Amino acid sequence: MADVAPAPKKAASVKAAPVKATPTAKAVKPAPVVATVAVAAAKAAPKSAAKGKAVAAVLKAAPAPIVVAAAPAPVAAAEPAKVKAKAVPAGRGKLTPVVAEAPHPAKHKPVEVPLKSSTSRHADQTGQTKLFVLDTNVLMHDPSSLFRFEEHDVYLPMMTLEELDNHKKGMTEVARNARQVSRTLDGLVSNTDDDAIEKGIPLSKLGNKDAKGRLFFQTRLQSADLPVGLPVGKADNQILAVVRSLESEQAGRPVVLVSKDINMRIKARALGLPAEDYFNDHVLEDTDLLYSGIVQLPDDFWNKHGKDMESWQENKNGQSATFYRVTGPFVPSMLVNQFIFLEPKNGETPFYGQVKQITGKTAVLQTLRDFSHNKNNVWGVTARNREQNFALNLLMNPECDFVTLLGQAGTGKTLLALAAGLAQVLETKLYNEIIVTRVTVPVGEDIGFLPGTEEEKMSPWMGAFDDNLEVLNKSDSDGGEWGRAATQDLIRSRIKIKSLNFMRGRTFVNKFLIIDEAQNLTPKQVKTLVTRAGPGTKILCLGNIAQIDTPYLTEGSSGLTYVVDRFKGWAHSGHVTLARGERSRLADHASEVL
């Protein structure tokens, strides 16, 4: 996870032999993904006339074969032209270089891009407004989903309202969302007469200008012929009957069922009804497009951008840094607080920097502090690779209030965050204490209620922090058993473990707040947590979007993906995607092959 070196004159120092970095595996170009959906034809002839009619009915109800064209393979960043660098900025040779490594592409599991139904695609081409029939789980997943369908109309079956009523009790997130939807519907329905409900209520009534469609309720019993044998009393089947009835009543108008329930969509497709997932809450359609916080400069960067370059030195936070003001065509593609690097292949000194300011085609670049050197260790921890060095520059920067770290298992997210927190709480006294929290979503079966106080209930969920504290608390034998015990008690007294359930209304002042496993948070929960920050508080969000344990959350709609995308480019936030595992060769191999 990170090299651990002994910290001078410190009780909680660590001694460990430096581990040699393993060479990076050569990146493999991903093959194009081809999604094909087909309906197989029945080959055997029916033995009787009755069976023949049944088969004909099933084939008639089945949807037409849909063939989706092959999605293009993700295009890797173009390799910079191999031009020999001529202009080298002054002062670069004096920097301590980080060990040059090949770029590590972020690893993501393949994500299915949500596809629209054929009815939706045809309506988009012809410019028709659609009528979306919403399933209950869409409203309970996103209470604002009513206003996310732009100029299209929304239809709510009576069974959807009945299920909302059944789920409104309790303190869970689902119950809160159900109550919020009910309040929204009450605001839309109030001060309207019966004719207005029949003709449709404008969704822009409450101030949502983007919603230009109308809201329709099921005001009368609608009967439709469903296949014999489907239970009539089941809520899903009643909603499917409403969709079938609307299709026959409003001939020529595209009617689409929207549901988060996969089985519901499968049943609708089997009955020949258009159905699709609700993907308006997806931040990105493909997580490979997610902001990584790091960009590699082309080899001829200094040739094209070093013509009228200015350089100067400043002393910030007790550290001297070199600044460069450059102008050129590559600058508009940069973002503030983005890390940049250039590792020439001709043996020249590599350059590692951070974008501090952008004005048009002019940018101010700042050199980084080298945390891979033992003299700059953070609580005995040094960076093992380029991305860890970038992460420590963010974690140790007091001007950076919000930091997000993404990475697969074993990349050192928790260890780096905890080491930076201990150094700034116990050494520099920049923050009062460390607060650790995480979502209590079990990977397997739940073990039930846990006894004890809030801290004792949360302790089984904090095994990752206990493991990392054990590494950071290894001290010299000079202090003896009493010294080690006293150090551990001191550190434990400055770390508080809190539950997410009691965060509403709190304000943290001068705290170092670590949110672990943030990929299991919804965008609304992330907003609740980040808005708890008071003066002098730093918030860290750690997670791996390939390990989401919450139902109804995907890589594209996770709260962690949401904040990474929304905070990019802000002067007081930063993001780094850690791509190289440093836990062990066994963990690295398991991440690749399992």
Side-chain angles (χ1 to χ4, degrees), residues 30 74 106-111 284-291 555:
K107 295 177 183 177
H108 298 293
K109 66 180 183 182
V111 182
L284 298 168
E285 288 188 352
D286 189 357
T287 47
D288 287 333
L289 303 174
L290 185 63
Y291 173 63
E555 295 185 358

Side-chain angles (χ1 to χ4, degrees), residues 27-56:
V28 181
K29 184 178 180 181
V33 181
V34 180
T36 306
V37 183
V39 179
K43 292 182 180 178
K47 293 183 179 179
S48 64
K51 287 185 179 180
K53 290 180 181 178
V55 173

